[in-house]
Amino acid sequence: MIILSVETSCDETSVAITKNGKEVLSNAVLSQINIHQPYGGVVPEIASRAHIESMLYMFDEAIKKANITIKDIDLVAVTQGPGLIGSLLVGINAATTFAYVNQIPLMGVNHLLGHIYAAQIEGDMQFPLLTLLVSGGHTELLYVKDHLDIELLGTTLDDAVGEAYDKVARMLGLGYPGGPIVDKLAHQGQPIYDLPRPMLKDEPYNFSFSGLKSSVLNLVHNMKQRKENFKVEDVCASFQQAVVEVLVEKTKFAAEQLGVKQIIVAGGVAANKGLRKYMKENIPHIEILTPSIQYCTDQAAMIGIAAYYQYQKHGALKDYYLKGSASINFV
Ligand code: KG4
Ligand code: ZN
């Protein structure tokens, strides 16, 4: 089964061709990072316009690179939400039109489901499994009993972990997006500063990162006031160590409570080298499946992989009417 998938939920315009929920024949991704960088974050109006400008080019690119023709496509899948509504609508509109004109069945896919299924490109899911989904907008622990049988265990009470990375980076003047640069600098420094590990003992499956973010802000502010010399690398290392310990400890606790066979770490922050390493070292007794770096951040291949499994269970839409949604329930 050949699926053409479209992802435009935030600031990446992407179209992919995948086969049988496993093989990525092409994954065309155009990042808008350069456009948003001067603003220190994604500007929704600009993101929508940029998606419109590159959308058709990405369709051509994906089909050409996969070396297929439109006649080979069995299903069109598109991210329905959650995400920036203007951005989502560009992708939905393009996918709907393409599917309708070529009379190919259409399907909407939850962006978060896509992040989980990105792991399926790397290895086979073993149920029941636990997913730690960490991205710019989400920090979630999910119990996955079977394909598309997902229970939300816990989430963030304030900032998403990627958001905390981006805010700390902005405060340190490191630019946007903050995750990759903080991760890089963390490896060049030492975790010498004592920062809180927000564990929320009564809510073991929930997260809270805004206090930790404020502690970093206070630490840097106080050192600057005292005209103390400090290395940004050490601040990054201390922040990253605190984040990673919280994520791994909560994941380990949940995995043991639920007796899962596998742990998937997915979403943009799953690209974090410190997190990947610490997770493997501290949970050696459970298989940890992580998408390769290129499939951690937003791209359409993950939507195509998730769509394959969704199709097996629910089939495609009966018509070509698909609504975008800034926030939708999980599956
Ligand atoms: O999944 P994603 O591409 O978009 C959302 O769905 O949000 O995740 C983007 C987030 C950003 O906050 C970015 O700073 C973070 O993932 N990120 C990282 C790393 N690479 C990307 N955070 C920590 N370490 C990284 N290496
Ligand atoms: Zn995402």
Side-chain angles (χ1 to χ4, degrees):
M1 180 175 199
I2 303 259
I3 300 178
L4 177 141
S5 51
V6 178
E7 153 66 38
T8 61
S9 68
C10 191
D11 61 339
E12 265 91 23
T13 318
S14 181
V15 179
I17 307 289
T18 52
K19 193 174 169 184
N20 297 336
K22 188 81 195 163
E23 211 181 320
V24 181
L25 302 184
S26 68
N27 191 26
V29 189
L30 188 70
S31 169
Q32 302 175 3
I33 281 180
N34 293 343
I35 305 174
H36 299 289
Q37 239 152 13
Y39 306 96
V42 177
V43 184
E45 169 83 20
I46 296 176
S48 310
R49 288 169 188 266
H51 284 308
I52 291 172
E53 280 166 22
S54 47
M55 197 75 257
L56 294 183
Y57 174 73
M58 301 314 279
F59 269 80
D60 281 343
E61 182 82 354
I63 292 169
K64 197 170 75 199
K65 273 198 185 146
N67 206 13
I68 59 158
T69 66
I70 293 175
K71 286 196 174 55
D72 298 322
I73 301 168
D74 301 302
L75 177 71
V76 174
V78 58
T79 305
Q80 194 175 358
L84 301 172
I85 191 67
S87 290
L88 287 165
L89 290 176
V90 177
I92 291 172
N93 208 0
T96 304
T97 308
F98 179 86
Y100 177 72
V101 166
N102 295 296
Q103 287 297 295
I104 304 168
L106 176 71
M107 171 188 283
V109 175
N110 187 310
H111 180 77
L112 304 187
L113 194 68
H115 273 304
I116 300 174
Y117 274 83
Q120 182 70 21
I121 303 169
E122 295 307 309
D124 286 326
M125 291 174 161
Q126 307 286 337
F127 301 106
L129 62 85
L130 178 75
T131 296
L132 172 70
L133 203 162
V134 273
S135 73
H138 297 273
T139 309
E140 253 122 59
L141 272 173
L142 303 149
Y143 181 49
V144 186
K145 279 169 251 166
D146 201 344
H147 284 299
L148 288 111
D149 186 356
I150 301 170
E151 187 188 323
L152 177 67
L153 297 172
T155 186
T156 178
L157 304 177
D158 40 59
D159 288 0
V161 63
E163 195 182 346
Y165 263 94
D166 293 337
K167 286 179 179 168
V168 163
R170 189 192 297 189
M171 182 169 93
L172 294 170
L174 300 174
Y176 174 85
I181 178 79
V182 171
D183 188 16
K184 185 167 165 238
L185 294 179
H187 285 86
Q188 296 162 16
Q190 294 300 323
I192 55 174
Y193 299 109
D194 191 20
L195 292 169
R197 269 71 172 150
M199 289 298 175
L200 308 176
K201 284 279 175 264
D202 297 336
E203 298 178 68
Y205 298 153
N206 284 335
F207 301 87
S208 167
F209 289 104
S210 83
L212 172 60
K213 178 196 67 192
S214 302
S215 298
V216 179
L217 185 100
N218 290 337
L219 171 75
V220 173
H221 178 75
N222 291 340
M223 288 194 292
K224 280 186 178 163
Q225 288 265 303
R226 292 198 296 266
K227 299 204 178 352
E228 227 174 87
N229 276 334
F230 68 92
K231 282 169 65 185
V232 169
E233 290 85 346
D234 293 339
V235 176
C236 290
S238 306
F239 169 69
Q240 177 142 313
Q241 187 61 30
V243 169
V244 162
E245 277 180 28
V246 171
L247 293 177
V248 172
E249 189 156 320
K250 282 177 176 282
T251 304
K252 188 177 179 180
F253 178 75
E256 284 168 355
Q257 289 291 309
L258 298 160
V260 296
K261 291 200 182 122
Q262 193 182 52
I263 296 170
I264 289 179
V265 188
V269 184
N272 189 278
K273 293 198 180 63
L275 175 62
R276 293 166 89 99
K277 185 164 175 276
Y278 198 79
M279 187 74 80
K280 289 222 157 102
E281 281 170 4
N282 286 275
I283 316 182
H285 51 295
I286 302 175
E287 187 201 352
I288 294 166
L289 189 60
T290 327
S292 68
I293 306 278
Q294 59 174 321
Y295 298 123
C296 283
T297 45
D298 292 349
Q299 32 67 38
M302 66 184 195
I303 302 302
I305 304 293
Y308 175 82
Y309 290 94
Q310 194 170 316
Y311 184 81
Q312 310 300 321
K313 200 154 183 181
H314 302 302
L317 288 176
K318 301 276 177 288
D319 53 26
Y320 291 95
Y321 182 66
L322 194 57
K323 261 169 78 177
S325 174
S327 63
I328 48 176
N329 289 336
F330 194 68
V331 182

